[in-house]
Amino acid sequence: MSVSDRLAELGIELPAVATPVAAYVPAVVHGGLVYTSGQLPFVDGALPAVGKVGAEVSAEDAKTYARTCALNALAAAADAAGGVDRIAGVLRVGGFVASAEGFTGQPGVINGSSDVLGEIFGDAGRHARAAVGVAELPLGSPVEVEVAFLLA
C-alpha cells in the first residue's frame, strides 16, 4: 500500500508545509534520506498552545502536539522529496519537550510522534529516537520534533 493510500485509510490529511520562522529550509534531501528541520505543532499557521509541559501544558496535550509535529515533518519531507509516496520509512526522530522543573515524562510525550509514524509506515516506521527535556523552545512551543526519513 502506498503512503498516500495509507494516509487516506487513516483519515489523515497532511497539512501545508509550515513557513520557517528563521533562516532555514523545512527539509533537505541528501544521500537517500530526507532530513527535516525541527517542526513545531503549527495548525493553520498558529501554535495551539505555549508553555512548559508539566506546568501550563499537560503531558497528554503535549503528546497530541508531538503528533502534529510529526505530520508537519512528513509534509515538509514529502514536499522536498517530490511527493509523500517518495517517503519509504523513518530512520530517526529527535523530540524536544519544553519541560517544567521536575517533569520527566519526555518519552511519553514524544510517543505522539512515534505512534503516528508507526501507524502510517508500519514496520518501516520503526526508528531510533531521542526525547529531550529543554528549558525553552522557539515561540514558546511546548514541543519540537525533527525527523530523518528514508527515500523510496
Side-chain angles (χ1 to χ4, degrees):
M1 177 181 292
S2 71
V3 176
S4 56
D5 288 342
R6 182 65 179 146
L7 289 168
E9 183 179 90
L10 293 169
I12 296 172
E13 186 174 329
L14 290 181
V17 178
T19 302
V21 298
Y24 60 88
V25 295
V28 174
V29 176
H30 179 74
L33 298 171
V34 182
Y35 298 91
T36 70
S37 295
Q39 299 292 312
L40 302 180
F42 286 121
V43 176
D44 296 326
L47 290 174
V50 294
K52 298 201 176 169
V53 181
E56 300 87 3
V57 178
S58 73
E60 195 58 38
D61 285 347
K63 182 176 181 181
T64 299
Y65 304 147
R67 179 185 191 277
T68 300
C69 290
L71 295 175
N72 287 343
L74 180 55
D79 186 63
V84 73
D85 290 324
R86 295 272 332 238
I87 308 299
V90 182
L91 180 65
R92 183 181 184 280
V93 170
F96 305 91
V97 180
S99 300
E101 186 175 338
F103 180 76
T104 60
Q106 293 84 5
V109 169
I110 300 305
N111 278 350
S113 292
S114 295
D115 291 347
V116 73
L117 293 170
E119 290 170 21
I120 295 167
F121 292 100
D123 284 344
R126 294 174 48 116
H127 53 269
R129 188 180 91 173
V132 180
V134 298
E136 300 289 340
L137 287 170
L139 307 177
S141 179
V143 294
E144 180 175 355
V145 173
E146 60 186 18
V147 183
F149 291 97
L150 301 163
L151 284 174

